[in-house]
Amino acid sequence: MNEFSILCRVLGSLFYRQPQDPLLVPLYTLIREGKLAQNWPLEQDEMLERLQKNCDAQGLAADFNALFVGNECRVSPYRSAWVDGATEAEVRAFLSTRGMPLTDAPADHFGTLLLAASWLEDQSAEDESEALETLFAEYLLPWCGTFLGKVEAHATTPFWRTMAPLTRDALSAMWDELQESAEE
């Protein structure tokens, strides 16, 4: 698994799964102990340190639920809520044609799209980045800036207020990497 895949998997998991999800316990432990930074491929030490200092499980869960869960959430995590005319079905079709296994959960969730980027990266041949470029250009980048801005504005915990710019910077770095690969 390369750095691109790791970034997408970590960020996607944090946005997709409830903080109290048992699958995230090891990841939150790494964050709390300051060990995520030593394996983080980007220069984001200050933001990772902020995450570490503000990793209170109870507060994170309450903020996560208020931000992303239910019809009354502060910030919809679904692309179809941010892009005019966008549907979950088009994202599902795109991912299905690339062989990604999907559940019945909506495929246009921000976290799902990041996890899909990790999966596509892990499944692709060395010189095959077209699917990732399409995922970023058509399904992620057109709305992620607005979405992350709303997360930053509506979060009540420093953790989620930090996750927004950290994710924005990571997505920008990954997009730059994809563009450089396409030019080569």
Side-chain angles (χ1 to χ4, degrees), residues 20 36 137:
Q20 65 273 21
L36 182 61

Side-chain angles (χ1 to χ4, degrees), residues 84-99:
D84 287 338
T87 65
E88 185 272 344
E90 66 185 306
V91 175
R92 183 172 292 280
F94 170 77
L95 295 174
S96 292
T97 60
R98 274 130 192 102

Side-chain angles (χ1 to χ4, degrees), residues 22-152:
L23 292 173
L24 289 185
V25 169
L27 178 55
Y28 278 107
T29 300
L30 283 175
I31 294 169
R32 250 190 303 288
E33 294 175 355
K35 294 180 180 173
L36 182 61
Q38 63 197 37
N39 296 306
W40 198 249
L42 300 175
E43 295 291 325
Q44 295 180 302
D45 293 347
E46 184 181 311
M47 285 190 265
L48 292 170
E49 197 173 297
R50 256 187 273 153
L51 291 182
Q52 178 188 359
K53 290 178 182 175
N54 297 288
C55 200
D56 166 56
Q58 194 171 359
L60 290 179
D63 204 14
F64 180 93
N65 286 324
L67 284 167
F68 308 121
V69 178
N71 293 333
E72 301 299 317
C73 65
R74 291 186 200 124
V75 185
S76 175
Y78 300 102
R79 174 181 175 265
S80 53
W82 298 95
V83 179
D84 287 338
T87 65
E88 185 272 344
E90 66 185 306
V91 175
R92 183 172 292 280
F94 170 77
L95 295 174
S96 292
T97 60
R98 274 130 192 102
M100 183 173 171
L102 296 168
T103 65
D104 290 338
D108 69 336
H109 187 286
F110 185 72
T112 301
L113 292 170
L114 290 170
L115 292 168
S118 174
W119 187 88
L120 288 169
E121 174 68 14
D122 292 345
Q123 302 302 312
S124 70
E126 255 182 63
D127 60 346
E128 186 183 306
S129 60
E130 185 181 326
L132 273 172
E133 285 181 51
T134 301
L135 177 73
F136 269 71
E138 293 182 26
Y139 300 108
L140 202 50
L141 294 179
W143 66 283
C144 74
T146 305
F147 167 76
L148 292 168
K150 295 287 184 185
V151 170
E152 195 169 9

